[in-house]
Amino acid sequence: MSRRFAAPLAAVDSVDSAAGTRIEAVKRIVSDDPYLVGHYPDFTIYPGVFTIESVHQAVRQWAAERHGPGTSVELTTITSVSFAAPLLPGDTMSIGCDVTDLDAPSTVRVKARCHRADGVLAGRMTLELRIHREDGHDDA
């Protein structure tokens, strides 16, 4: 059996993409989320890979709203990523993404900044993602 993704993890709680190429999302870091167990023992933090996944899920929801249900978004390139401060249980992460169409067919560049509720920058990244529509057309 082959799956494109593992069991879904809720890496965003809400997404607002009404501003066209600007995406705003929120993720509450909850202590009993399964991916926090053991990361790290005695100092539980939200894993960096899930910060990337939070941005990815926000872009997937934006793409579905823009292109319709069945649209998929494939992460193709992590151009840059940096984590500046830990996200701890009880924190709320705000994600701001700016989306730019690239010359490559169906590819967008996303520049994201992730902040804790106290305003501290938790991470920033630049990703490239390919958008696949359900009707077989790739379109960014």
Side-chain angles (χ1 to χ4, degrees), residues 2 14 21 27 68 70-71 76 105 123 132 137:
S2 174
S14 65
T21 60
K27 170 61 179 159
T71 301
T76 59
H132 304 278
H137 293 92

Side-chain angles (χ1 to χ4, degrees), residues 65-124:
E65 289 173 7
R66 186 174 182 195
H67 299 290
T71 301
S72 65
V73 176
E74 174 186 9
L75 176 62
T76 59
T77 306
I78 298 175
T79 304
S80 67
V81 65
S82 106
F83 303 109
L87 292 159
L88 306 172
D91 283 339
T92 298
M93 176 175 55
S94 296
I95 304 161
C97 303
D98 292 305
V99 182
T100 306
D101 290 332
L102 296 180
D103 290 334
S106 310
T107 302
V108 295
R109 174 175 293 130
V110 175
K111 291 187 176 191
R113 294 178 63 88
C114 305
H115 291 87
R116 297 188 315 211
D118 63 3
V120 171
L121 179 69
R124 66 178 154 239

Side-chain angles (χ1 to χ4, degrees), residues 32-95:
D32 62 352
D33 280 342
Y35 44 78
L36 289 178
V37 176
H39 193 274
Y40 291 93
D42 301 322
F43 186 66
T44 303
I45 64 172
Y46 191 64
V49 69
F50 284 108
T51 304
I52 296 168
E53 179 61 18
S54 294
V55 172
H56 187 203
Q57 286 187 19
V59 174
R60 284 197 336 237
Q61 186 167 328
W62 167 84
E65 289 173 7
R66 186 174 182 195
H67 299 290
T71 301
S72 65
V73 176
E74 174 186 9
L75 176 62
T76 59
T77 306
I78 298 175
T79 304
S80 67
V81 65
S82 106
F83 303 109
L87 292 159
L88 306 172
D91 283 339
T92 298
M93 176 175 55
S94 296
I95 304 161

